[in-house]
Structures are given as structure tokens and as C-alpha cells.
Amino acid sequence: MAPPMETFICVDFGMAGSATSWRNNQSPFWNTTKPKIPTMLAYDSNGTLMAWGKCEGGPYDSFQECFKSYIATTTFPDFPGAPTSKQVLFRWVQDYLTAICKQTALEIDAERVDGWRNGFLTWNFTVPGSWAKFPVVADFKRLAENAVFSCLTTTDKIRVHAHLTEGEASAICVLNRSRVAKSHEFAVGDIVVSCDIGGATTDIAISIVSGAGKLDPCPPLQLHPVGLMSVNRNFWELARQTFRLAGLQQNADVLALVIARSQAFTSARERFSAADGERIIISIPIEYSIHDWPPRPAENHKKLFIIKYNKLIIHRDVFESLFEDLVQQIEAGLDEAINKLATAGKTPSAIGFCGGGSRSVYLMDRLRRRYGEETVIIIDHRQLTVPPELATVTGSSLVCDKTQLQKFVQNTRFGVQQNEDSTLKAAEENKENSNFYMAPAWVVTLSCSAHRGQITKHTIFAVSANAAEAGPENNDLKDRPTLMKWIVEIDLTRNKKVGSRKKKLKILCKITGAWTIDVEVRSQLGQVIPSKI
């Protein structure tokens, strides 16, 4: 009997871009947004939402983006596009969350998943670790619930969560989806510091390896560094001052913002390194025509910021200074984490970097030089098997998988059908100190026997815990409703020793997911016997 339909949806609401990932309990595979959807809204002059995401087409009267950075603030800065009140901000957040939830629902519809809208639905929204549970996370969860409920007619089976932090999610991703973790054995008790460099904030978290594929989060840190957008804001301040000096009084702020949001600046920010040449050149959009400034630049101007041939020419020292706030705050946050561990006589085994900011060559060079030691493994986007921007939503989906797997094994008993032993057993948590990346979290060992010189087939049953407890005293699995069954083929054709015709064996069932197992068959002496499902 198949379990009732349940769909799991993870949402990473980011400042520059957002992503979703979903699957149902009938499939082990996640469907993830690639690439992230821009966190942008477009309105007309009446304040009606006209477009979201890429906001192509138009014309539109106003664009709103980067508004996530204001959710935890009590005052709003004098910055183009900043909200004027909490009410305005919440309206933007509500509009965007509703749009992305509707889009995700349509994507699931397109996959023709029958009955998913009337089944159980679990929505998981990640939040920055810097957000206070009250009122910030509570307000955000309310907006998320409003968005979800507006998309679906059946709401009594919907659950909305907003308790997993971006730092915790990224830590799970760094250790489960990196080539380093695949080749390195992390022991129980090893400590991992994750650093998710996003747009609005940088989430730093300390986690302890507690088992195969498992991390336990430590209490949050006091410092909450800024994100990558701090570089953009520093650039905007510098660019608008330059445009004003160049005589562009009315449109200086707007032009500076357009360039700060442009792909040209994003690419320059990402590729910039300490080894770059003396000047960084960024084109001004062709719809703006600005005279060279200063007309005859003095030597000191050449070392700063000039406009020539409708291009911004920035000295590398000036461009490097745009990163200083970001670097110093991230270093302060990582220093706090490492010093906190040092007071307990501990050191991190690995520091993992992810998020869009981990693509910055200059930033990662600075952080690797400061924290890279022989005893500390540095994991960055080059070792991840997923794009670093998707680390949070990937980690959220992995946490969801582990939660559902734990529920599955707690509510399920396993047995192998044969005459001499049909005892039902519960799965146990894998306590072996094995490879973090590959080890199954739950195992169950079943006894059986097979004829020497033959290929023998055994049926492994999964039975609900309630049915197991209410079943007949003789433990006959045939008399119980089964949830799932697997046929295990054991090959003893090469084992023809003289003696008893039957060989006693142990079947180690490795439960890798709900309704998914792998098996390893061993003799009483530990010899591995060829087998397959």
C-alpha cells in the first residue's frame, strides 16, 4: 500500500536571486530552479504589479529589487529604491513570494503529478541567521503563509516552516555536495564552519559532525556580516559623486544605480583580483552620453576615478577599497567562530564557502590566505558539485530528505520472509565512523540462509510499526499489510564446500532514502557474498 501523496517544496528567498526545489514522496529526485530567478518586481504608475523575476518587456514605472536587505531593519536609508515604510516593504515581499509560489505550483502541474494539490504539502523557507525569531522571522513566516495559501485551494494539509537558517542549510550542502567531503573522512565530533556569502548577509555557522551524513548546529554567533551588495553600495556612492562632479546633477544617482546593477559591473566585481592591471574599465550604458571628466585629468585623478570615451576608468586601488567593508566583516565573523572554538580547546576541521559571493576571486584569495592552514580544509565553489548560489536550497532539500527518512525508519519495521526466522526489526542509526559523504544514516541487519552452490532469492518486507505491533504472535509477514518489498538475489554458486547444504547469512540493509535500500550480504565470518536487488 503506497503512502499518501506528500509534496516537499524548499524556497531560498535571496536578495539578488531566489530558487525553489521540490519533490514528492513517490520520487527521490528533486526539481531545482536553474539559474536563480532575479528577486525583482516591476510596477506601473498605479502601484499594480506588472512583472516579476527578469521583468522583461515594459515599459514599467518602477522596479524594486534588493528589498530583502531591509526586512530586519527598523529604519530605511536614503537610497534609490528603498522602501519608505514597513507596510510598503511587506507588500513587496508578499508580492514576490506569491509570484514564486504560483510559479512553483505551475511547474509541478506541468510535471503532471496527479493529486499533489489535494495531498499533504510541506513548504520550507530558509531565513538568514541574523534575523531575530521575533518579530522578523515571525513576520516573514506570516507573509510566506499568505503567499502559499493564496496559491492553493486546499489549505488544511499545508505546513509552512521558516526555522532552518541559510548557514545551517549551506553547511549541509558543503559537506554532502562537495568533492572534498567525498574523498575525506570526517569523524564524529569534527567541526565545520560554513560561510554562505549572499547578497544581503553573510551567514556563518558552526556545526559538529554527529553521524554519517549528519550535522548538529551550534548556537548562533553574535556578529552578522554584510553580503556582497555592500560592494555594490560602495560603488554606487563613489559613482554618483563622480557623476555629480561631472555635471550630471539630476540623473547621477539613477545612472550610478543602473551601472551598479549591470552585468558589466557584476562581471568586473567577480573577476577582479589583486593581480589585475592598474585600471578597471566599466562601460556606461549607451543611452547615457557623458563628457570626459575631468577634461584634463591631473596625475592624482588618473589614480582615482575618471570618465573617458563614455567609460568609467577606476584605479585598481580604488576598486579594491570597495571590498574592504565586506572583507573586514566576514573576517570578524570567522574570527569570532574560530576564537569561540579555541576557548573550548577545539579547532575547525574545515571551513566551507558558498553563496554567490564565493565566486569573487579577490574575496576568496583574501580569505584563503588568512584561514588556509595545513590542518584546516578550505572548501569553496570550485569543489562544490552544485552552483554555489544554489547551496542554500540544496542544503534545505537535503535536510528535508533526512527528516523524512528519520520519520520513515521510526514508523517502519523490516523483515525477511522465510520459514525459520521472520522477526521484524527496527532500523538503527549508523554509528560507524565512515566516509561522511557516502555512508548511509540508517541500517538494519536481518538473518537468513541460502543453499550452497545455488542462486537464492529472498523477499525483504517493509511493514508499518503499528501493523508490526498489532500483528499475529507467530510474526508471519504474510499476514501483515506490507508497505514495500524488495527481492534480494544471493549468489552462492561459487560456494560448494562440503558440509551443511545451507549457509547462514546476514543481510545488511542500508536505508538510503524512504523506500530505497541497498544491501550487502555477509557470511557469519564476515565474508562478502555476491548479491543484488
Side-chain angles (χ1 to χ4, degrees):
M1 180 178 66
M5 171 70 75
E6 185 170 5
T7 304
F8 314 104
I9 303 165
C10 298
V11 182
D12 170 24
F13 172 54
M15 188 167 86
S18 301
T20 63
S21 189
W22 67 271
R23 75 167 178 86
N24 59 56
N25 59 346
Q26 312 297 318
S27 170
F29 303 109
W30 287 87
N31 299 271
T32 304
T33 306
K34 294 179 183 179
K36 295 181 86 170
I37 304 169
T39 306
M40 181 184 291
L41 300 166
Y43 294 92
D44 66 9
S45 58
N46 297 320
T48 303
L49 180 65
M50 303 300 294
W52 73 286
K54 290 184 179 180
C55 294
E56 296 175 336
Y60 305 116
D61 289 283
S62 66
F63 292 91
Q64 305 303 335
E65 58 182 333
C66 301
F67 45 87
K68 178 186 175 182
S69 61
Y70 304 113
I71 292 178
T73 62
T74 55
T75 58
F76 302 109
D78 181 17
F79 187 80
T84 55
S85 67
K86 277 285 185 185
Q87 183 179 6
V88 171
L89 172 63
F90 284 176
R91 192 287 177 83
W92 296 346
V93 175
Q94 182 82 73
D95 283 350
Y96 188 86
L97 292 180
T98 300
I100 200 169
C101 288
K102 285 182 177 179
Q103 177 65 31
T104 304
L106 292 174
E107 289 174 2
I108 301 175
D109 287 338
E111 294 296 323
R112 298 182 179 179
V113 181
D114 294 334
W116 80 271
R117 285 177 176 265
N118 296 319
F120 293 95
L121 301 175
T122 301
W123 293 74
N124 299 298
F125 291 80
T126 48
V127 295
S130 59
W131 285 5
K133 289 186 177 181
F134 296 98
V136 184
V137 174
D139 286 340
F140 177 77
K141 184 183 177 184
R142 173 175 55 81
L143 297 174
E145 288 173 338
N146 292 343
V148 170
F149 292 156
S150 70
C151 303
L152 302 155
T153 55
T154 303
T155 60
D156 59 321
K157 296 181 180 178
I158 296 176
R159 291 169 294 177
V160 177
H161 302 299
H163 52 72
L164 182 66
T165 70
E166 294 165 359
E168 292 167 356
S170 62
I172 288 289
C173 178
V174 162
L175 281 197
N176 283 275
R177 292 292 183 267
S178 72
R179 299 181 184 88
V180 172
K182 192 173 182 178
S183 59
H184 179 82
E185 291 192 5
F186 287 95
V188 171
D190 280 357
I191 297 171
V192 178
V193 175
S194 60
C195 183
D196 183 358
I197 309 169
T201 59
T202 294
D203 269 86
I204 299 174
I206 302 173
S207 304
I208 300 176
V209 177
S210 58
K214 292 181 60 180
L215 285 175
D216 287 342
C218 294
L221 301 170
Q222 295 295 318
L223 296 179
H224 303 289
V226 296
L228 199 59
M229 286 299 113
S230 68
V231 179
N232 292 47
R233 289 189 180 183
N234 289 339
F235 171 81
W236 174 78
E237 289 280 3
L238 184 62
R240 73 167 182 162
Q241 291 174 14
T242 302
F243 292 144
R244 286 176 177 178
L245 291 173
L248 195 69
Q249 295 297 330
Q250 292 184 343
N251 294 324
D253 292 10
V254 174
L255 176 57
L257 186 61
V258 168
I259 298 174
R261 292 172 172 175
S262 69
Q263 185 59 46
F265 176 74
T266 300
S267 298
R269 184 192 64 194
E270 185 175 304
R271 295 195 305 263
F272 175 70
S273 73
D276 271 4
E278 190 175 72
R279 288 174 174 76
I280 288 80
I281 300 174
I282 300 174
S283 296
I284 296 173
I286 56 175
E287 58 266 31
Y288 294 89
S289 180
I290 304 178
H291 297 294
D292 291 355
W293 180 87
R296 296 182 180 83
E299 193 63 31
N300 63 326
H301 280 125
K302 292 180 181 180
K303 294 180 180 179
L304 297 174
F305 201 124
I306 65 173
I307 302 170
K308 193 174 183 64
Y309 305 129
N310 223 44
K311 291 179 173 34
L312 293 176
I313 302 175
I314 311 168
H315 192 275
R316 65 167 318 284
D317 290 346
V318 175
F319 202 81
E320 182 175 4
S321 70
L322 303 177
F323 290 81
E324 203 57 33
D325 289 344
L326 178 65
V327 173
Q328 289 184 4
Q329 289 200 37
I330 292 178
E331 288 179 345
L334 288 171
D335 288 350
E336 181 194 350
I338 294 171
N339 291 334
K340 186 174 182 178
L341 291 171
T343 58
K346 299 177 181 179
T347 57
S349 300
I351 301 177
F353 297 94
C354 61
S358 68
R359 291 189 184 274
S360 166
V361 176
Y362 175 79
L363 175 62
M364 290 309 303
D365 282 347
R366 287 275 300 263
L367 296 175
R368 270 192 293 267
R369 287 200 307 269
R370 184 177 178 90
Y371 300 104
E373 300 177 5
E374 293 183 2
T375 57
V376 179
I377 300 169
I378 298 294
I379 303 172
D380 61 25
H381 74 278
R382 297 173 300 180
Q383 288 89 37
L384 291 178
T385 58
V386 297
E389 298 85 359
L390 298 178
T392 298
V393 76
T394 301
S396 181
S397 65
L398 289 168
V399 170
C400 181
D401 280 343
K402 294 179 188 300
T403 301
Q404 298 309 312
L405 177 58
Q406 185 170 0
K407 290 180 180 178
F408 170 70
V409 297
Q410 288 175 344
N411 296 317
T412 308
R413 300 294 179 264
F414 300 87
V416 57
Q417 180 66 56
Q418 61 178 41
N419 294 329
E420 62 268 26
D421 185 8
S422 300
T423 303
L424 291 167
K425 293 186 177 181
E428 297 180 347
E429 194 170 357
N430 185 12
K431 297 295 185 181
E432 293 183 6
N433 178 23
S434 52
N435 186 290
F436 180 95
Y437 184 90
M438 300 298 291
W442 298 89
V443 295
V444 61
T445 303
L446 304 171
S447 299
C448 71
S449 61
H451 290 279
R452 297 180 188 274
Q454 297 181 15
I455 294 177
T456 306
K457 293 182 179 180
H458 287 294
T459 302
I460 296 175
F461 290 82
V463 178
S464 74
N466 291 336
E469 293 171 2
E473 294 181 358
N474 63 7
N475 278 331
D476 191 346
L477 295 175
K478 295 179 181 178
D479 297 331
R480 294 186 176 88
T482 58
L483 299 173
M484 193 75 176
K485 63 176 72 174
W486 302 269
I487 306 298
V488 180
E489 192 176 277
I490 302 173
D491 186 356
L492 284 175
T493 55
R494 298 181 182 179
N495 196 305
K496 301 179 181 180
K497 293 183 179 179
V498 178
S500 172
R501 290 183 59 200
K502 283 191 173 183
K503 188 177 181 68
K504 292 184 177 181
L505 304 170
K506 297 284 186 183
I507 302 178
L508 179 65
C509 299
K510 305 173 182 179
I511 305 168
T512 55
W515 320 110
T516 307
I517 68 169
D518 192 9
V519 298
E520 183 180 278
V521 180
R522 292 181 176 270
S523 68
Q524 297 289 83
L525 299 177
Q527 176 190 4
V528 177
I529 307 297
S531 62
K532 64 180 181 179
I533 296 181

